Every structure is written in structure tokens, then in C-alpha cells.
Amino acid sequence: MLPNLRTGGASKTLARVLHGADQHWVGDGFPVRTLFAYPGLGPTISPFLLLDYAGPTESPPTQKSLGVGPHPHRGFETVTIVYSGEVEHRDSSGGGGKIGPGDVQWMTAASGIIHEEFHGHDFARKGGVLEMMQLWVNLPAKAKMLPPRYQLITDHQIPTVALPAASGHVRVIAGECLGVRGPAQTSTPINLWDIQFTTPTKLSLPIPEGYTAILVVRKGSVSVSSGETVDTAEVGLFERAGDHINIESASEASILLLAGEPIDEPISGSGPFVMNTAEEIKQAILDFESGRMGQPRGTGA
């Protein structure tokens, strides 16, 4: 029998393994691989939209401001998790701050936000390894035009749950694990777990029946109950039937587990805007071009 975080019924089966595209640059500071995106996957990965994995990449010391200048978003949330390096942010809602290793930035664009993201000043001057992930999370129609919100979640605010048999730990960023709740405020039910396996293990991870479940491997490889393996910078997408995922082997692996209640609504997207209809996209573009979304005014550090 597998050591379970929670007993349950049938396990979710692995539907497919996604292999990330070639690396491309976002601005001049973030070389990323898009591991999954909603064009072509849309309802299958709901409520999630996109995941970019940056690094690990060595950044030489520089006096330049490397990153992405002011740009808009509407209709969804961006979740940035830093594993190595530093990122500074500021936006038109007044939100801003610096996040480093273990920290998370949860930005709800909602009705519209202009923000910018750059390497942290100290990190840029010293250089070093940059490694981070940015997840896009969709919002339901009723929340797409609410005021924007910014959450800066530091590493020490994220609770840790030990895995059975001293096989590793779970950082609970959002949702709940073994009765421990993560600090992130989410617009729909979401579990976002950052998991580190330190020894060979077999494990059952609870995911509610009907939820989308996505396993992202950052380091190492993970075998699931079907016998298939998900390797570094690959994504395992599971069927929604079942209430847990069986991990058969995960020696010294680091994974990000995403689980969420699907949003059963149309998706219409264009660049930095994700809405429900093409007309709403046209309005978003008009609002941005007319200056209605403002300009970044928060402090970046």
C-alpha cells in the first residue's frame, strides 16, 4: 500500500505528457520555455492558462535593467515563483516589491493592470543563476472586471508539510494539504503545491474528483501509476476522474503540482488579454490604448 496523504477512491490516470517548446526571450531578461498554453488546450487545463519556465540560466553581472517594461494584462492572474535570483515588480494598482528564492508574487490583473518586471538591482549587479516559473490562472467572468489585486508572499509565510517516511516536503502556496492552508487568496478553488522529494518514495497525492491536475517537473523525473515517466521541464496532464494521483517513483525530484476546479466558460484571448468573447478583447485593447489602465506607480523594491 502507498503511504497516503489521504485515503480515497480511484486514482487519476495520466492523459498525456507535454514537452515544452524551444526557449524564447520575454523582454531582455527572461529566457523561458512555455511548458503549456491555453491555445489548443483551453478547457482541458482550466482554470490554468499558461506556464513559462525561466532557467536555470546564468546571468552575468550588469548595470543594465534587464526584464520587461510596462505592459498590460486583463482577465486573469499571474503567479510568479522564484527559485533562484531576484525579480522586482511594480504596477498601476500601486502594487510592487522584490521577490527572491522561495517567494511568490500573485498578481490579479482582473479589470486591467499595467506592470513591469526586472531583475532585482542587487542580483543584476552581482550576477548569478536565475530560475523562476510564471503561471497564468484564468478568472471566471464574474471576476474579470473586478479591481486588480497584488499579493506578495514571502518564503517564510508559506507553510511546509512533511511527506510520509521523511521522503520530502510540500510547500503549500495555495489551497490545503493535510489541513494546512496556503497563504494565497484565490478567485476559484486551487491547490498550488511546491514539492521536494529527497528520497525514493511511493506516494498518493489527494486531488478532488473533477479537478484539473497538472504535474510540472522542475528537476529530476517522476513515474506515475501508469508506468509513464515525466522528466525535467515536462508536464503530466491527468484525467479529471479520480480523487488522487499515485506517484510510483520520485527520487530527488522537485515538482509543482497544480490542481483546480475547472471554469466552464468560453475563452477568448489575444496576447496579454484573456476574456470570454472577442468583443471583450477589442474593448480591452481600446482601454489600454486610450490609457484607461494607467501606468506603473508602485515601488519595485
Side-chain angles (χ1 to χ4, degrees):
M1 179 180 291
L2 301 181
N4 293 308
L5 296 188
R6 187 192 67 183
T7 57
S11 66
K12 295 179 185 288
T13 58
L14 184 68
R16 60 191 293 194
V17 177
L18 306 176
H19 309 278
D22 292 338
Q23 190 177 80
H24 64 279
W25 283 87
V26 176
D28 62 3
F30 305 109
V32 307
R33 286 168 284 180
T34 299
L35 301 188
F36 64 78
Y38 68 92
L41 288 173
T44 306
I45 59 173
S46 178
F48 310 108
L49 293 168
L50 175 148
L51 182 72
D52 279 343
Y53 179 33
T57 303
E58 184 71 35
S59 294
T62 181
Q63 297 297 315
K64 294 177 63 177
S65 295
L66 300 176
V68 187
H71 59 283
H73 291 298
R74 172 178 280 181
F76 63 100
E77 304 177 292
T78 66
V79 182
T80 305
I81 306 169
V82 176
Y83 294 100
S84 180
E86 288 180 341
V87 178
E88 293 183 6
H89 159 99
R90 66 185 189 123
D91 64 50
S92 54
S93 75
K98 179 170 68 176
I99 54 175
D103 299 339
V104 175
Q105 170 188 285
W106 200 297
M107 186 189 78
T108 305
S111 59
I113 206 166
I114 308 290
H115 78 139
E116 58 186 30
E117 300 164 289
F118 289 95
H119 293 191
H121 294 299
D122 294 338
F123 172 73
R125 284 195 295 268
K126 296 176 183 176
V129 176
L130 180 72
E131 183 181 7
M132 56 180 279
M133 289 191 183
Q134 186 170 91
L135 171 70
W136 289 15
V137 181
N138 201 9
L139 290 171
K142 64 183 181 181
K144 284 185 179 291
M145 292 303 290
L146 292 177
R149 180 178 63 184
Y150 177 78
Q151 302 174 69
L152 193 158
I153 305 168
T154 60
D155 182 39
H156 79 271
Q157 293 175 306
I158 300 172
T160 298
V161 175
L163 292 176
S167 58
H169 64 267
V170 179
R171 293 200 316 142
V172 187
I173 298 170
E176 183 175 325
C177 179
L178 279 181
V180 175
R181 291 204 62 82
Q185 300 177 45
T186 66
S187 299
T188 58
I190 288 172
N191 286 339
L192 181 57
W193 298 349
D194 191 22
I195 306 176
Q196 177 70 49
F197 296 101
T198 55
T199 61
T201 187
K202 291 186 177 183
L203 186 72
S204 287
L205 297 170
I207 308 293
E209 175 76 33
Y211 271 39
T212 296
I214 300 174
L215 185 155
V216 183
V217 178
R218 186 170 67 89
K219 291 181 181 177
S221 64
V222 175
S223 297
V224 297
S225 54
S226 62
E228 295 182 81
T229 298
V230 187
D231 292 318
T232 301
E234 292 183 343
V235 172
L237 177 59
F238 290 80
E239 302 286 356
R240 289 179 180 153
D243 67 0
H244 64 276
I245 292 173
N246 285 338
I247 303 294
E248 292 291 330
S249 175
S251 180
E252 297 185 6
S254 298
I255 70 172
L256 192 66
L257 186 65
L258 321 174
E261 185 177 72
I263 298 172
D264 188 20
E265 295 175 353
I267 300 173
S268 181
S270 179
F273 307 124
V274 182
M275 302 298 288
N276 296 109
T277 68
E279 285 302 314
E280 290 172 330
I281 293 293
K282 291 178 183 178
Q283 186 63 51
I285 294 171
L286 179 63
D287 289 347
F288 166 61
E289 292 179 343
S290 64
R292 295 190 188 114
M293 293 185 186
Q295 289 297 323
R297 57 186 175 85
T299 176

